[in-house]
Amino acid sequence: IAVNIYESSILGDEISYMEQLQAGTVDVAKLSIGTLSGLYEDTQVFLLPFLFKNNTEMWKALEGEAGTTIKNGLNAYSIQGIGFTDCGSRCFYTTVPVTSIGDFKGLPIRVQNNQLMNSMVDCLGANPVNVAANEVYSALQTGVCKGGENNPNIILSDSLYEVAPNVLLDNHTTTMDVICMNLELWESLSEEDKAIVNDAMEAATEYDREIWDAAVEESLQKLEEGGATITRPDDATLDSFREAMNPIYEEYASRYETLLGQINAALGK
């Protein structure tokens, strides 16, 4: 099976090539949960704060019934999910030290323009600010926001630690990207070719997990070398964060009851 790769947004932004994937003009694409949730709302369950304690729990859920539900649930949108790659655990970075829930009070924190993410920041006592990704650095410089959240690799690569050098490793959202194929193309493949695709996806996932974990460790080391202060909250602090999220789960749990049930079953909850 020959694959031609188009990188660096040659095919447009993520929403654009998701639409091309549905139309069949793109065969395969890697899509974030943030983008997919605009099409297939149930995927937003993976944006619930503190759903997973770490990526080990996330993979345990994805390798079970929840992963199958997501991959096949995309069929309604002319897409077949074929696998997942790690998108990291998101952490807060701030211009002032933040080590407990009380430190968030009144801080303007940049998040993606997503109601669930806005609610998470509200529950911590901070004020959500929606700023485009390419404007975050300058927004931190000017005080439009005094913090944001992302995974350590992005905090390093976007140099956000230069203006917000306090990193709180709370891992509030651990999520994945979904590798997707046009459904008509998938259904046209022979069983032999489907097996080739599945085997390649399995190998790619294993490799991705290995290099992602290594990249995070390297990023954290470089952040500290660059002058950032890394805070690893203790269990009591994390429990206070999780407890603050109760209103979100009260609002969203019934919407995603099936998937939450499958995730909790995989985790033995």
Side-chain angles (χ1 to χ4, degrees), residues 70-164:
I70 291 297
K71 289 188 285 187
N72 294 338
L74 287 164
N75 290 175
Y77 308 96
S78 302
I79 295 171
Q80 175 64 52
I82 57 175
F84 305 96
T85 56
D86 207 321
C87 195
S89 296
R90 300 176 78 91
C91 312
F92 289 103
Y93 53 89
T94 51
T95 59
V96 296
V98 171
T99 60
S100 68
I101 194 166
D103 294 332
F104 279 103
K105 187 172 179 60
L107 280 183
I109 300 291
R110 184 268 172 182
V111 290
Q112 302 169 27
N113 189 12
N114 176 287
Q115 184 54 50
L116 199 156
M117 302 296 283
N118 289 338
S119 296
M120 176 189 70
V121 171
D122 278 332
C123 287
L124 290 171
N127 300 322
V129 178
N130 301 137
V131 174
N134 61 355
E135 297 175 1
V136 175
Y137 191 100
S138 60
L140 289 163
Q141 282 183 309
T142 59
V144 170
C145 57
K146 293 188 177 180
E149 49 88 51
N150 218 312
N151 66 68
N153 295 347
I154 297 298
I155 297 171
L156 176 68
S157 64
D158 287 3
S159 302
L160 299 170
Y161 69 97
E162 294 178 352
V163 285

Side-chain angles (χ1 to χ4, degrees), residues 144-195:
V144 170
C145 57
K146 293 188 177 180
E149 49 88 51
N150 218 312
N151 66 68
N153 295 347
I154 297 298
I155 297 171
L156 176 68
S157 64
D158 287 3
S159 302
L160 299 170
Y161 69 97
E162 294 178 352
V163 285
N166 303 282
V167 179
L168 182 67
L169 288 183
D170 64 315
N171 298 331
H172 53 265
T173 307
T174 300
T175 189
M176 73 300 298
D177 291 326
V178 186
I179 309 301
C180 300
M181 180 178 285
N182 172 267
L183 180 60
E184 186 175 352
L185 173 61
W186 173 256
E187 291 179 339
S188 74
L189 297 180
S190 66
E191 292 305 310
E192 181 182 5
D193 283 348
K194 286 180 180 177

